[in-house]
Amino acid sequence: MTDKELIKYLVKNNDYKYNLLKASEELQELALVLTQMALKKEKVDKQEVIDEIGDVKIRLKIISKLFSKKKVKERIKFKLDKFRSYIQKGKYKGGI
């Protein structure tokens, strides 16, 4: 089974709610480890962040299949255009 087939399998065979909750769980774990790294860098191993990023990317692939691909692309374009505008207008001050 290829990775793509596995993602399709998980979308099809896991309940919609389950897929949303698992994505939420992984996102929360990534948020926690990023917060810990920012506040207590010496206590967080970079591998923990790498692991959580990998877990989140998998879950995002799964939940991306549950929503309109076109609308997600439109949102990404909108947001990147907004950032571009901030930079061009000199409103970007080291963080958006």
Side-chain angles (χ1 to χ4, degrees):
M1 182 180 288
T2 66
D3 292 351
K4 209 171 197 177
E5 291 168 334
L6 178 56
I7 296 297
K8 282 184 181 180
Y9 179 90
L10 294 171
V11 170
K12 182 180 175 188
N13 290 283
N14 288 333
D15 179 73
Y16 179 82
K17 185 176 176 181
Y18 176 84
N19 280 326
L20 295 180
L21 289 171
K22 289 305 288 183
S24 177
E25 176 186 358
E26 294 298 352
L27 288 161
Q28 289 176 61
E29 289 174 4
L30 176 59
L32 177 61
V33 77
L34 290 174
T35 301
Q36 290 172 338
M37 180 167 262
L39 298 176
K40 310 171 199 173
K41 191 171 185 167
E42 68 284 348
K43 291 189 176 187
V44 178
D45 185 349
K46 283 185 179 181
Q47 187 60 49
E48 290 178 69
V49 176
I50 292 165
D51 292 348
E52 295 306 333
I53 291 170
D55 294 350
V56 164
K57 284 185 145 196
I58 291 167
R59 291 295 167 182
L60 285 176
K61 285 182 182 191
I62 292 168
I63 65 167
S64 291
K65 304 283 186 198
L66 304 176
F67 297 93
S68 167
K69 191 176 195 178
K70 180 183 176 190
K71 288 186 179 193
V72 171
K73 283 184 178 185
E74 287 171 359
R75 176 60 186 181
I76 291 169
K77 182 181 179 341
F78 170 80
K79 197 70 170 189
L80 291 176
D81 287 347
K82 188 175 178 179
F83 292 158
R84 237 179 248 106
S85 171
Y86 288 162
I87 292 166
Q88 290 168 349
K89 293 175 182 176
K91 292 182 179 180
Y92 184 84
K93 304 294 180 199
I96 293 178

